[in-house]
Amino acid sequence: MKSILVSISVILGSFFSLSAQSVQHGEVMQYRGKEAKTPLSGVSVSAIGAPSVTSDAEGQFVLNFRTLHAGDAIQFRRIELSGYEVMNTEALDVARVANSGSTDNKLVIILCSTEELTRLRDGYRSAAAERYQQQYDAAQRQLEQLQKEGKIKQAEYDKQLDEL
């Protein structure tokens, strides 16, 4: 009798622990510039509260959370594939576990090759630096015009130029 009660307790405990799990479906996509994103396989995805998984040939993965429930924040430990970096970190920082049975709340992770991401970052920095230089030059021309018209003296010109 005692062994039957222990067996029932173990079965019920297993049942309740399985029913408490939350499942989050996701996919890993590779950023390809103007071309359509493509699935990326072999990406290791690790989040707190779930065993680590690897994306399959279609970039698909499933996180099985033992303690998280629908609506809880997902905290990633790592998302990793050699030669790639995560592009959509801001979206992943606010990711939440989907409602059970929901297929439209798939988590999308976008990776970009490190080389391409470096090129993109350099391009953005270059464009920003160019824009700031244009703004500086325009303000300097405006100050020079004010000085030429006698509206400001050399000391004021120097002061405002230093503030730029």
Side-chain angles (χ1 to χ4, degrees):
M1 181 69 173
K2 192 174 188 180
S3 64
I4 293 174
L5 288 175
V6 170
S7 297
I8 291 173
S9 296
V10 168
I11 291 170
L12 285 175
S14 298
F15 173 76
F16 287 122
S17 80
L18 286 176
S19 65
Q21 283 189 349
S22 295
V23 176
Q24 177 64 58
H25 293 270
E27 65 182 339
V28 181
M29 302 296 285
Q30 180 179 356
Y31 174 81
R32 303 179 65 78
K34 293 181 181 178
E35 298 176 31
K37 294 175 187 74
T38 56
L40 196 56
S41 65
V43 178
S44 176
V45 179
S46 176
I48 294 174
S52 295
V53 296
T54 301
S55 62
D56 65 16
E58 289 81 39
Q60 305 295 310
F61 65 90
V62 177
L63 291 170
N64 291 299
F65 291 101
R66 293 182 211 108
T67 57
L68 297 183
H69 304 289
D72 288 345
I74 300 173
Q75 294 179 340
F76 291 95
R77 286 191 174 137
R78 71 182 163 78
I79 300 168
E80 192 171 62
L81 180 64
S82 182
Y84 288 86
E85 292 183 44
V86 176
M87 281 192 79
N88 62 332
T89 54
E90 293 84 10
L92 298 177
D93 286 344
V94 296
R96 304 254 175 215
V97 177
N99 291 325
S100 61
S102 176
T103 57
D104 60 338
N105 287 333
K106 188 177 282 190
L107 180 66
V108 178
I109 298 173
I110 302 172
L111 296 185
C112 183
S113 73
T114 301
E115 181 179 301
E116 175 72 6
L117 194 54
T118 298
R119 191 183 64 71
L120 289 170
R121 286 178 181 146
D122 290 347
Y124 290 135
R125 286 184 189 117
S126 176
E130 184 178 317
R131 180 67 182 134
Y132 286 131
Q133 186 63 50
Q134 290 171 354
Q135 291 173 340
Y136 177 84
D137 292 346
Q140 185 178 15
R141 284 192 301 274
Q142 189 176 28
L143 284 174
E144 288 170 354
Q145 184 63 33
L146 290 172
Q147 185 184 29
K148 186 187 262 186
E149 293 172 359
K151 295 182 179 178
I152 61 171
K153 297 189 186 240
Q154 184 66 39
E156 182 63 22
Y157 171 84
D158 292 339
K159 178 183 173 204
Q160 289 190 23
L161 190 61
D162 283 343
E163 290 174 2
L164 289 178

